[in-house]
């Protein structure tokens, strides 16, 4: 009998699992994945333009399409993670695909016959005579690129929530650590990106693209191996079926019950009873928004209700299931209002790199690779993230009594303001760069202008701060606000903002060229009106911030009723992140 009592009192989750030690493995694979991906992304414009003989506009479009696809496909990786695979298995599977993609790119870069003869040193006036890549060469290029896109998408969808899963939101102490987790995740993301734009980019500039892609393939492979070493430490998520299916069920049942009257007492709506709930079940309180969807939880009292078919998942939903759907619907305006910031980011990662190739990149005898310019904001972020975590948050917490210092939506808003400012600074710097070209009669020259490339550091540094606020805010916001059964999907939703931003970037460039008569169509930045384009982005960013304020003010945070078996005192629950009811205004 003593043994039986010991079994009953045994904790449901062994205490040695999870925590900071387990999260380190998620930090590592996320940082290494970003190192390889970001190094490739910032260099691809140069690779396309100088080695695959794409035009400047086509190079920028190809890069933004590649990056947009990589972030958008994270939705697919999240679907597999939440529905069929654990976060761990998703990281391993997609990481192997990413390794294969980099290996294919390395093979193409190594063998001369698999790519066109590069004409990067040909004068601008003769650039149209360069040999174009044939269909076979393009097929290899795009196959490698999009294998990388597929692979990194799954890692990006599953790795951050894998680390976050190591902290229990229902435990006030671990909930506070969860908030810090996203700040330190950004620190590792930034550190990885810094290594990418310095060390890996240096390899591509000095040793060759084949070495660069090969290094990316090897380090990602080692990261996957390292992730498997921590398997015994992880708190692995239990798949609970497709969250997308549950969302569809709510819409279908609500439409089917559109003529039924909602009960006056909300407790008459269908919900899981305490005795039916699992120990890890999260029960969401009913909210007043989107009342039409509440009809999906109406218990039928007619003859149909007596049949077993009336209680199937496509006939009746729980209040929690309805609230899951409402959360996703409420998130959509937030995610849409952050898209334009990522459109601006896409421009900085393409046109700014091209700007750097026209400027003086020498520090004494060392020439800084143009693709390494993003190291400037990354250095700022590596310094500022610990300050934000260790200084700002504790001080802000004393005034706001919020575990995160300021709310996630407030943090996102700060980032959007800084994004607008960075575009205005970019326009001023570009105006100055063009004036230097005119003054020294170098508009048609391919030689570097007598202007330091570090002028571009101003716009990059400000945007780096914007990214620190907005991206971390989005990841924390979507993970915290989503239900326990769709954490990976929520992370993917935050990445999808980047995807839509990159796709929108290509569309914006095309529209601007048509409407303006070719601001960006000369294939020569000294003749283009890139400064006008940056001013346009700054103005649109201000309008976008106004739209965001409306969306953020309208948003209602989720309300959670903890399962009584958790035995968490109500006064402690209010201190954690499981129950956040206050708005940002």
């Amino acid at each position: 009998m003593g043994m039986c009592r010991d079994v009953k009192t045994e904790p449901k989750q062994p205490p040695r699992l999870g925590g900071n030690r387990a999260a380190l493995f998620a930090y590592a694979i996320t940082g290494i994945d970003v190192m390889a991906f970001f190094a490739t992304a910032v260099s691809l414009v140069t690779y396309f333009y100088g080695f695959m003989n794409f035009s400047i506009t086509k190079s920028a479009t190809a890069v933004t399409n590649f990056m947009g696809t990589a972030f958008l496909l994270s939705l697919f990786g999240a679907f597999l993670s939440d529905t069929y695979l654990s976060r761990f298995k998703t990281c391993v599977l997609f990481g192997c695909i990413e390794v294969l993609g980099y290996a294919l790119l390395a093979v193409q870069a190594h063998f001369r016959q698999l790519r066109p003869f590069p004409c990067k040193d040909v004068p601008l006036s003769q650039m149209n005579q360069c040999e174009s890549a044939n269909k076979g060469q393009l097929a290899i290029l795009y196959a490698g690129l999009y294998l990388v896109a597929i692979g990194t998408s799954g890692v990006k969808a599953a790795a951050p929530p894998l680390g976050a899963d190591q902290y229990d939101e229902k435990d006030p102490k671990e909930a506070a650590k969860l908030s810090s987790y996203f700040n330190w995740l950004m620190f590792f993301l930034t550190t990885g990106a810094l290594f990418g734009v310095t060390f890996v980019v240096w390899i591509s500039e000095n040793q060759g693209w084949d070495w660069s892609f090969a290094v990316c393939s090897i380090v990602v492979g080692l990261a996957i191996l390292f992730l498997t070493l921590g398997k015994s430490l992880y708190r692995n998520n239990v798949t609970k079926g497709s969250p997308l299916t549950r969302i569809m069920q709510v819409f279908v049942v609500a439409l089917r019950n559109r003529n039924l009257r909602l009960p006056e007492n909300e407790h008459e709506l269908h919900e899981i009873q305490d005795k039916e709930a699992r120990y890890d079940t999260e029960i969401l309180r009913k909210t007043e928004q989107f009342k039409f969807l509440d009809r999906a939880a109406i218990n039928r009292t007619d003859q149909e209700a007596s049949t077993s078919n009336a209680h199937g998942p496509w006939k009746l939903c729980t209040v929690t299931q309805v609230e899951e759907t409402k959360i996703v619907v409420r998130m959509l305006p937030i995610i849409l209002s952050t898209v334009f910031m990522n459109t601006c980011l896409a421009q900085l990662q393409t046109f700014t790199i091209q700007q750097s190739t026209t400027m003086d990149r020498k520090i004494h005898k060392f020439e800084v690779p143009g693709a390494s310019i993003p190291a400037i904001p990354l250095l700022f972020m590596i310094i500022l993230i610990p300050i934000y975590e260790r200084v700002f948050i504790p001080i802000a917490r004393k005034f706001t009594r919020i575990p995160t210092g300021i709310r996630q939506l407030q943090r996102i808003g700060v980032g959007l303001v800084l994004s607008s400012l960075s575009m205005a600074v970019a326009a001023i710097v570009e105006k100055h760069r063009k004036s230097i070209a005119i003054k020294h009669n170098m508009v048609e020259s391919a030689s570097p202008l007598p202007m330091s490339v570090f002028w571009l550091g101003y716009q990059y540094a400000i945007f780096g701060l914007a990214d620190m606020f907005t991206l971390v805010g989005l990841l924390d916001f979507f993970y915290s606000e989503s239900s326990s059964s769709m954490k990976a999907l929520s992370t993917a939703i935050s990445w999808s903002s980047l995807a839509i931003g990159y796709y929108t970037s290509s569309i914006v460039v095309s529209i601007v060229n048509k409407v303006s008569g070719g601001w960006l169509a000369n294939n020569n930045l000294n003749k283009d009106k890139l400064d006008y384009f940056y001013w346009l982005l700054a103005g649109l960013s201000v309008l976008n911030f106004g739209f965001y304020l409306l969306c953020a003010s309208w948003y209602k945070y989720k309300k959670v009723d903890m399962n009584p078996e958790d035995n968490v005192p109500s006064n402690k629950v209010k201190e954690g992140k499981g129950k956040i009811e206050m708005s940002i205004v």
Side-chain angles (χ1 to χ4, degrees), residues 32-50:
I32 291 174
D33 170 72
V34 168
M35 181 187 76
F37 178 74
F38 198 58
T40 302
V42 297
S43 303
L44 275 180
V45 169
T46 304
Y47 183 66
F48 288 153
Y49 180 68

Side-chain angles (χ1 to χ4, degrees), residues 58-70 146 149 502-503 506-507:
K58 184 178 179 180
S59 298
T61 301
V63 171
T64 53
N65 288 343
F66 160 70
M67 298 190 71
T69 301
Y146 286 97
Y502 282 112
Y503 284 131
S506 302
I507 297 172

